[in-house]
Amino acid sequence: MNHGGVEALAERLGELDPRLQPLVSLEFGDAVIVIEPEEVHSTMSDLLGAGFDRLGMVTAVDRDETFEVVYRLHSRRLSSALFVKVHLGRDEPRVDSLVDLWPAALWQEREVYDLFGIVFDGHPDLRRILLPDDFSGYPLRKDYDNPRVLKRPDYI
């Protein structure tokens, strides 16, 4: 999406909900909204109401001091896509589940929980999905330590 496309998306969102317009920015050519953890459910509900009817992805990034939960939303009506990012502290990373808004979040939130240890409050079945129940740790965290796993370079 080019800069003009992001401005047009921000304008369309502003028409639907004036609170959303100033949140939209351009990052690496994509429209992005960065929100606070306590605003996740209400803002995502607003975006669903504004036409972002498909949750394409939920993932996370370990940024050393924080975790970044990343959502990819799509709107057929607006012919647009949008990244929503939320920064969480490392000590007890928690954010509201979005399963009640997009059922597609069910397995995706479980995957993020399984690999990063991020808790999705209100998730109806938050348990490991890829690793055994007795697995210790969260292997996609940069501080995960296992002698059988090669350390990857810290440029990612």
Side-chain angles (χ1 to χ4, degrees):
M1 178 178 284
N2 60 30
H3 187 62
V6 171
E7 289 175 350
L9 175 60
E11 188 173 314
R12 282 184 281 178
L13 286 175
E15 292 168 3
L16 298 168
D17 184 342
R19 188 179 66 85
L20 297 174
Q21 183 171 2
L23 298 177
V24 180
S25 65
L26 182 68
E27 189 175 303
F28 301 109
D30 293 308
V32 176
I33 291 180
V34 179
I35 57 177
E36 296 297 321
E38 60 274 5
E39 298 172 345
V40 167
H41 199 274
S42 64
T43 301
M44 297 297 252
S45 180
D46 291 345
L47 288 167
L48 177 62
F52 285 91
D53 53 352
R54 181 171 172 263
L55 175 68
M57 174 188 77
V58 179
T59 192
V61 179
D62 186 339
R63 299 279 186 208
D64 289 317
E65 294 83 30
T66 63
F67 290 108
E68 182 178 80
V69 179
V70 181
Y71 304 90
R72 177 78 166 165
L73 304 178
H74 302 268
S75 171
R76 289 179 279 251
R77 183 170 49 131
L78 300 174
S79 298
S80 298
L82 177 69
F83 283 103
V84 178
K85 297 182 177 185
V86 182
H87 296 101
L88 306 174
R90 288 192 76 81
D91 293 339
E92 291 185 42
R94 309 181 79 85
V95 67
D96 287 337
S97 173
L98 300 179
V99 172
D100 63 318
L101 300 176
W102 292 283
L106 185 74
W107 286 21
Q108 295 181 60
E109 289 177 353
R110 284 182 58 191
E111 182 178 340
V112 172
Y113 166 74
D114 196 8
L115 300 175
F116 288 93
I118 296 170
V119 174
F120 291 87
D121 292 324
H123 191 285
D125 187 23
L126 193 61
R127 59 188 167 94
R128 290 198 181 271
I129 190 169
L130 300 172
L131 299 168
D133 291 337
D134 61 349
F135 188 87
S136 179
Y138 304 101
L140 290 187
R141 287 186 175 198
K142 288 184 178 179
D143 59 1
Y144 178 72
D145 190 25
N146 182 325
R148 296 179 359 185
V149 176
L150 293 175
K151 290 271 187 201
R152 80 175 177 220
D154 197 28
Y155 58 83
I156 297 177

